[in-house]
Amino acid sequence: MPSAVAATVTFLKTVGLAVGGLTISGGTALAIGAATVVAGAIAAQKLISSLYSVPTLDSDSSRQATVRGTVEPQKLIYGEALVSGPISFVGVAGTDNRDLYHSIVLAGHPSDSISDIYFDDERIQSAHINGSGNVTTGVFGPKDGTTICVIRKLTGSQTTADSVLDGAFNTINSSEHIGTNLTYIVTKFTLTEDSQETWDKFLPNDIKALVKGKKVYDPRQDNTSTHYDASVGVSTQRSTNSATWAWSDNPVWCLVDYLTDDRFGMDIDLDRIDLSKAVDAADICDVAVSVPGGGESRYTCNGVVFGTATHKANINKILSSMNGMLTYTNGKYVIRAGAFESVGTGMTLTEDHMTGPVRLKTSFERNERFNTITGTFVDPEKNFKEIEFPKVQITSALTRDNSEELTRELKLSMTNSRYMAQRIAHKLIQLSDLQKVLTFPTNLAGVNISVGDRVNVTLSEFGYTNKTF
């Protein structure tokens, strides 16, 4: 769309938090045609109906169930998540066939590491599994000096089949049954007279692993990048060499990875992403926030997206973890995180820029407002199950609605902190309080304004002097 045409009308919203989900726009702040950027209240309502509306595919069972099927969706793990998956091999071997083996695929990509293992809800700490995979203590530790449980962890860098399987089965070929670029575990359960009681009581239906997932590129850790920041970490990452990348739960770099992933993602060239804006958003996510008992980053991304879901659904899930916005403007994908942004240079509109009458809408209908949010997040303290976070309500918003509780519900499947979940909910209610929509027909000054930008407006008729929208 030509910029001169796109500049004819610019719709502004009262300043607030950067939110939105996936939005495609033309050369300026307008979508193709004469579309709008809505006010905070509508944006927040739209977020809850799309960004936080996670497909039913994502549930405790879809992430953590050990399944026996031939066709299952690939999982992509960003941050850290407790996952299981399809059994790719099962067999018995050893004396009297007393050794039971499983191979379980956890993710369709290489991962950073596998730590704790869960047999149903019984946790086996990583420290209790030695270098050979033997469980050395606890419920599944040795019985009468005999190892009864072996757990082998393969994170995707393996170049031969697992030696335990290779040694037990003639059907396993070390050069063919490798699981190249797959994250998976191999288990061996040994039945003896001493272990009979343990397996009778604890033989698991679901075998799960706590996985730190995909390694991602962070230009702040690349000293050949103009965005290099020595305070963030190492300097040796390179955008063209995934072997130099590192694990991160920063939602921005998880999203950048999904956008550029050429297998499950959108296969977008990195130079089509506005990395300057991405760095700003990543820094926002990294800000340390005090919470009861310690601190945490403002936003992190920890969860699973599925290879069978739409790109929109997967992108919105990642965006939900930072209350974020993704737009496509002037040939670039622009990522914003949910925090206040200051007004940029040249982002000022006055009577001199008007090409027609200005219209102001001051409030929205009751069904478009809310003052209370409930919802769920994934709780590490509850074996990474989806549970409710405490209700969030802002008194001033409740008063605005004549003390009538208007509730919306969130599903935060990429958030694993109750405080972070409440933080996201609180920001959305704040956003719902921004109900003024200013329709401002502009001259070519509108070319400078893109979706999500903050703009100062000076209009004597409305009593506005550098009022931020």
Side-chain angles (χ1 to χ4, degrees):
M1 181 179 191
S3 296
V5 177
T8 55
V9 183
T10 301
F11 289 81
L12 306 176
K13 67 177 180 180
T14 309
V15 69
L17 311 167
V19 296
L22 179 59
T23 303
I24 306 298
S25 75
T28 69
L30 302 183
I32 294 174
T36 66
V37 177
V38 295
I42 294 298
Q45 175 65 23
K46 187 176 180 181
L47 277 173
I48 289 176
S49 63
S50 61
L51 212 67
Y52 301 103
S53 179
V54 177
T56 54
L57 175 66
D58 192 352
S59 63
D60 290 340
S61 61
S62 64
R63 290 188 300 269
Q64 300 180 10
T66 302
V67 294
R68 296 159 179 82
T70 57
V71 180
E72 298 293 332
Q74 293 271 23
K75 295 183 181 73
L76 284 74
I77 302 170
Y78 285 110
E80 187 175 47
L82 184 66
V83 297
S84 187
I87 297 175
S88 59
F89 177 85
V90 61
V92 292
T95 304
D96 297 328
N97 285 335
R98 290 194 172 190
D99 297 328
L100 173 64
Y101 294 81
H102 295 95
S103 172
I104 299 168
V105 180
L106 305 173
H109 55 78
S111 296
D112 179 74
S113 62
I114 301 172
S115 55
D116 296 348
I117 305 296
Y118 289 71
F119 289 172
D120 291 331
D121 290 328
E122 195 70 32
R123 176 188 174 205
I124 304 171
Q125 296 182 44
S126 185
H128 298 164
I129 306 170
N130 68 17
S132 298
N134 299 333
V135 177
T136 59
T137 189
V139 172
F140 302 99
K143 298 294 185 285
D144 195 26
T146 299
T147 297
I148 68 166
C149 184
V150 177
I151 302 170
R152 307 277 292 175
K153 305 173 182 178
L154 299 98
T155 58
S157 61
Q158 62 273 1
T159 57
T160 61
D162 179 67
S163 59
V164 168
L165 285 183
D166 189 30
F169 297 94
N170 293 328
T171 54
I172 298 295
N173 185 304
S174 62
S175 63
E176 295 179 357
H177 300 84
I178 298 171
T180 304
N181 293 325
L182 297 178
T183 301
Y184 68 99
I185 57 174
V186 172
T187 62
K188 173 187 174 184
F189 304 157
T190 299
L191 181 65
T192 67
E193 289 184 4
D194 297 301
S195 67
Q196 178 77 57
E197 183 180 355
T198 298
W199 295 123
D200 284 346
K201 184 176 181 180
F202 293 105
L203 185 66
N205 291 312
D206 295 317
I207 302 171
K208 301 170 283 190
L210 188 58
V211 181
K212 283 190 172 181
K214 295 192 73 177
K215 296 180 181 180
V216 298
Y217 173 65
D218 183 346
R220 300 175 301 175
Q221 299 186 47
D222 179 352
N223 62 7
T224 67
S225 167
T226 57
H227 308 289
Y228 172 62
D229 183 349
S231 68
V232 175
V234 301
S235 62
T236 54
Q237 289 198 30
R238 298 293 182 266
S239 63
T240 56
N241 184 0
S242 60
T244 66
W245 302 353
W247 177 87
S248 173
D249 60 0
N250 187 298
V252 174
W253 306 129
C254 294
L255 179 56
V256 169
D257 181 82
Y258 186 84
L259 292 174
T260 57
D261 186 289
D262 61 1
R263 187 177 182 196
F264 297 113
M266 294 186 67
D267 194 19
I268 293 169
D269 290 338
L270 186 64
D271 60 10
R272 292 181 62 197
I273 297 173
D274 188 332
L275 288 181
S276 294
K277 288 288 189 182
V279 166
D280 291 342
D283 290 342
I284 287 170
C285 293
D286 283 341
V287 169
V289 177
S290 296
V291 298
E296 63 183 19
S297 297
R298 176 181 282 159
Y299 301 123
T300 61
C301 178
N302 295 276
V304 174
V305 298
F306 293 88
T308 52
T310 65
H311 290 318
K312 179 180 178 181
N314 286 337
I315 288 171
N316 281 345
K317 281 179 67 174
I318 297 171
L319 286 170
S320 75
S321 67
M322 58 174 165
N323 202 21
M325 169 187 278
L326 174 66
T327 60
Y328 184 71
T329 303
N330 292 328
K332 294 277 190 178
Y333 288 87
V334 180
I335 301 170
R336 287 182 163 92
F340 177 81
E341 293 181 23
S342 59
V343 177
T345 303
M347 296 295 176
T348 299
L349 294 175
T350 68
E351 285 94 341
D352 294 338
H353 302 122
M354 292 169 52
T355 60
V358 172
R359 298 193 305 274
L360 179 66
K361 183 175 181 179
T362 58
S363 64
F364 290 98
E365 290 72 20
R366 175 184 176 280
N367 64 351
E368 295 172 337
R369 298 197 301 264
F370 55 91
N371 49 54
T372 303
I373 287 180
T374 61
T376 60
F377 75 108
V378 177
D379 190 354
E381 296 180 1
K382 303 295 183 183
N383 286 343
F384 295 85
K385 294 292 192 292
E386 200 171 349
I387 69 167
E388 292 185 356
F389 58 81
K391 180 175 74 173
V392 177
Q393 185 177 85
I394 296 181
T395 303
S396 60
L398 186 66
T399 301
R400 173 202 69 197
D401 297 323
N402 297 319
S403 298
E404 181 182 1
E405 188 173 290
L406 304 176
T407 303
R408 296 294 183 271
E409 186 173 352
L410 304 184
K411 184 179 176 72
L412 299 173
S413 62
M414 305 294 278
T415 298
N416 65 357
S417 159
R418 69 178 66 247
Y419 304 115
M420 200 176 300
Q422 292 175 87
R423 191 177 307 123
I424 291 171
H426 191 274
K427 288 177 180 295
L428 280 170
I429 298 176
Q430 286 182 310
L431 189 67
S432 77
D433 220 16
L434 307 176
Q435 300 191 35
K436 291 181 181 177
V437 177
L438 186 70
T439 306
F440 193 118
T442 76
N443 56 21
L444 290 179
V447 171
N448 294 325
I449 301 169
S450 299
V451 175
D453 284 340
R454 273 61 172 160
V455 184
N456 279 337
V457 177
T458 296
L459 289 173
S460 56
E461 182 179 354
F462 290 89
Y464 294 164
T465 301
N466 284 333
K467 181 175 178 60
T468 306
F469 283 80

